[in-house]
Amino acid sequence: MNQKKVLLTALLLLVFQVAITAGEKLTVPSKGYRTIGKAVVKARRGDTIIVKDGLYKESIYLKDGIVLLAENKHKATIDGGGHGIAVTLGTGSTISGMVITNATIGVFNKSPNTTVENCLIKQNWMTGVMAVRHLPQTNDNTIVFNKASGIVVWDTRSINTSIEHNTIAFNIGFGLYVGGTSEIVAENNTVAFNQKYGFKMSEESSKSKVTSNNFFDNLHAFYDMPTGNHSFDPQFKSPRVLMNFQPNAKCCAIRSPKNENLGVRFSKTELDMKPVKGTTK
């Protein structure tokens, strides 16, 4: 094969790879996809499934390399039907902006290179997010009012991933539990008002990096609060009535080393929203 043919073959291969990476966009609901599950079956690696506002009573296994994205943040809800796992992540998959509720476990992961971001994971019968072996990139999620723990990891490693800028609050179990032999990174989270320890870690997981978090008023005090963390009232605007976990304007003078608020990072539009007059915590 001469040099021109080699270059042409390489160029065609590159174009083909870019096309695969770009993927297609599938919308739910639409004429072809009335449920998220049907869209997942049809989707291929690199595709994005855009979910319109509404309630979807189903359990999802997100295939490898698929992105599941709410068209409007926290307006599309996956209801797990009171049992099982609402969303299981495949290798390289992402879930973003969804509400995940009413399952035994909200999100389960044992696959590499996954992401859970900007989700509201609430009122599941056990754990909000559970990870075994591989830690998803877990950022800017609100994980609240689950009947066991907010986040549980077991025999899990952080491979270029972290638990960062999440608000983990009002869970009946632990805020964050690190068990087995794990080595993770958890930074810049707000962990408050949970009914057991805000953070608990097995002795075998002592190499984990847990710094610059705010642990406040969890029912059981720390056996030994990790160094490099904070404890101050996050002053949520209206968590019980409006599920609004934004801090009040005068709150939270303590910030991360990168000068960012701890917990979920809200957009300017979200920060401008005002709670309904007369609501309380």
Side-chain angles (χ1 to χ4, degrees):
M1 187 179 290
N2 61 39
Q3 187 175 7
K4 287 184 178 180
K5 287 185 177 180
V6 171
L7 290 173
L8 179 60
T9 301
L11 180 60
L12 289 173
L13 180 60
L14 178 61
V15 170
F16 178 69
Q17 289 175 333
V18 169
I20 291 176
T21 303
E24 296 183 2
K25 293 183 179 180
L26 292 70
T27 301
V28 178
S30 63
K31 184 177 180 180
Y33 314 110
R34 304 304 301 174
T35 67
I36 298 171
K38 287 185 177 180
V40 169
V41 169
K42 185 69 174 179
R44 297 179 294 179
R45 185 186 294 273
D47 288 352
T48 298
I49 299 171
I50 299 173
V51 186
K52 291 183 174 293
D53 300 0
L55 178 64
Y56 301 85
K57 294 186 176 182
E58 47 188 313
S59 297
I60 306 301
Y61 181 89
L62 201 54
K63 293 194 303 188
D64 295 357
I66 304 300
V67 175
L68 185 66
L69 174 65
E71 184 176 53
N72 296 298
K73 181 180 174 183
H74 297 176
K75 297 296 185 181
T77 299
I78 296 176
D79 183 320
H83 59 85
I85 300 169
V87 179
T88 302
L89 299 176
T91 299
S93 64
T94 294
I95 183 167
S96 180
M98 301 290 296
V99 178
I100 304 165
T101 190
N102 193 32
T104 305
I105 297 171
V107 178
F108 178 77
N109 182 73
K110 61 177 182 180
S111 303
N113 304 318
T114 56
T115 299
V116 183
E117 62 183 10
N118 294 310
C119 291
L120 171 58
I121 304 170
K122 64 171 185 173
Q123 295 167 329
N124 291 286
W125 292 95
M126 288 184 65
T127 300
V129 177
M130 178 173 285
V132 179
R133 293 199 298 273
H134 296 283
L135 179 71
Q137 178 59 36
T138 308
N139 57 272
D140 295 291
N141 301 288
T142 303
I143 305 171
V144 294
F145 296 111
N146 297 287
K147 296 187 183 300
S149 298
I151 299 177
V152 172
V153 302
W154 189 268
D155 286 341
T156 300
R157 297 288 186 275
S158 292
I159 306 298
N160 299 318
T161 59
S162 61
I163 299 171
E164 190 168 1
H165 284 291
N166 302 281
T167 294
I168 308 168
F170 295 102
N171 299 289
I172 293 177
F174 301 103
L176 171 60
Y177 180 82
V178 182
T181 304
S182 298
E183 187 173 349
I184 68 153
V185 175
E187 298 179 312
N188 305 320
N189 302 286
T190 292
V191 185
F193 308 111
N194 298 285
Q195 291 191 22
K196 289 189 177 180
Y197 296 112
F199 168 68
K200 188 170 176 62
M201 178 173 62
S202 66
E203 292 183 4
E204 296 80 8
S205 301
S206 60
K207 291 183 179 180
S208 294
K209 181 182 178 182
V210 182
T211 59
S212 299
N213 303 284
N214 176 27
F215 296 107
F216 181 78
D217 203 22
N218 300 286
L219 185 60
H220 294 298
F222 275 106
Y223 45 92
D224 187 15
M225 181 173 174
T227 59
N229 292 283
H230 311 292
S231 183
F232 61 93
D233 189 348
Q235 297 184 33
F236 300 132
K237 284 186 178 179
S238 182
R240 294 187 182 276
V241 177
L242 296 180
M243 204 68 68
N244 185 343
F245 287 85
Q246 299 170 27
N248 281 303
K250 295 181 181 180
C251 168
C252 311
I254 300 176
R255 300 167 75 87
S256 77
K258 295 180 181 179
N259 199 34
E260 297 173 315
N261 281 332
L262 304 184
V264 170
R265 293 167 289 192
F266 292 97
S267 68
K268 187 177 186 303
T269 300
E270 290 172 311
L271 289 172
D272 287 342
M273 292 173 63
K274 301 295 189 297
V276 175
K277 186 176 180 180
T279 57
T280 62
K281 296 181 182 181

